[in-house]
Amino acid sequence: MSVQQVGKIPPFLAACRRQPVPYTPIWVMRQAGRYLPEYRALRSKGDFATLTRTPEFAAEVTLQPLRRFQLDAAILFSDIMTPLQGMGVDLTFEPGPVVREPIRTDAQIDALPELVPERDVPFVLESIKLIRPNLPRGTPLIGFAGGPFTLLCYLVCGRPSKEFGAARSFLYAQRQSAERLLDKLGDAMAVYLGAQAAAGAQALMLFESWAGLLAPPEFQRFALRAVRRTMAALRSTGLPLIYYVNQGSALMESVADLDVDVIGVDWRSPLGTVRRVLGPEKAVQGNLDPAALFAEPRDLERHVDAVLDAAGPAPGHIFNLGHGIWPETSPDAVARLVDYVHERTSRAPASKAEEVGT
Ligand code: CP3
């Protein structure tokens, strides 16, 4: 591949593939949302589910943070529970997902229909088609879904929870039912993400937000087994695949041989250790504590430096928070974060020294 061709790849996609980048790309988990006044203004006109189901609204909300900040990726405005709603699961957002009849029996698992994206969630595909031509600066669009185990947590417990006890005891008490449910969810998410790719998504991300609830053997046996199926089915899209493992510092060895391009981690996992354990074949994404956005500007820069130093000079780092941005965050802090990551990392290569030296 010629140097020119490499230069044309957006930095986010290049970093996913561990190629050299002109600066470290950055995007922010939950970058479209309540910390932005323009999101709150739209949100006051309709509930969350209506926003996600109306392509014009979903596209607008997706683009809002890209107009304010020099972000290197957009992420579709939707929710991990949206495809399940499309499959007929009765749920509401309050604001976290609340499932009217939690899934506990084989009969309920068997009754879950297959997902047919064009029929069940056409608005998601429409939103992607609306977003793509309107992305500023040729910014790539990330499509996403929930990790099968994280979806199981909500389906079995019925609502957000700290420990998701009912979901974890389900794994131990009804092992085969749990595996059946996870396989079904994993396959549905593969179909869902495949449809997002066909509609125009340029990278695919699976959020395993509750991975850290499991010890490595259960994580491997339940969560990872299903994720392998999902990711294997998506390889043929040719798009970068990202697996976000929240609270996964004890799980890095388990995911090291998963066939994905990028592993996303939270702030509790030191990036240097993560990179050593994952080896040179994987890029990493993360991992500033969302709380660090409340630091004084100078202090925030030092916290960003620490993340960048831990990630090291090897290609294949995408800067992000370690988990979703908090609604109370000041948009000014986000602007400072994005600009500082770009400024500090484009200073590094010798070829850039002249540009920055004035
Ligand atoms: O900007 C983006 O990242 C895209 C939008 C997005 C939302 N949810 C919008 C949302 C994404 C990627 C998600 C994923 C999601 N949803 C995850 C995985 C990521 C993570 O944070 O771990 C999870 C676990 C959920 C489930 C969920 N949905 C919760 C726990 C909540 C309530 C908490 C909250 O942030 O309010 C939701 C609702 C939700 N999803 C909102 C938004 C903007 C708030 C709805 C509102 O406006 O009232």
Side-chain angles (χ1 to χ4, degrees), residues 11 28 60 80-81 95 120 126 140 163 172 174 180 183 207 250 273 277 281 283 317 322 358:
V28 173
E60 170 60 21
I80 57 167
M81 301 302 282
D120 300 333
E126 277 307 308
E163 295 276 340
Y172 287 93
Q174 288 165 259
R180 229 185 22 260
D183 286 352
F207 282 93
T273 314
V277 176
E281 307 274 281
H317 176 220
T358 49

Side-chain angles (χ1 to χ4, degrees), residues 27-35 39-40 43 46-49 51-52 61-62 65 74-82 93-97 142 144-147 150-151 154 160 164 205-210 244 246 322-327:
W27 68 279
V28 173
M29 284 195 274
R30 298 290 192 97
Q31 65 192 22
R34 285 169 297 177
Y35 74 106
Y39 172 78
R40 293 198 298 270
R43 179 71 173 74
D47 62 19
F48 173 69
L51 286 190
T52 59
V61 175
T62 302
I75 182 159
L76 171 71
F77 182 74
S78 185
D79 195 81
I80 57 167
M81 301 302 282
T82 303
F93 292 95
E94 304 181 12
I142 303 170
F144 76 91
T150 298
L151 297 175
Y154 288 109
F164 285 99
M205 174 158 168
L206 213 54
F207 282 93
E208 203 73 275
S209 301
W210 309 128
Y244 168 67
N246 187 30
H323 201 178
I325 188 169
W326 298 354

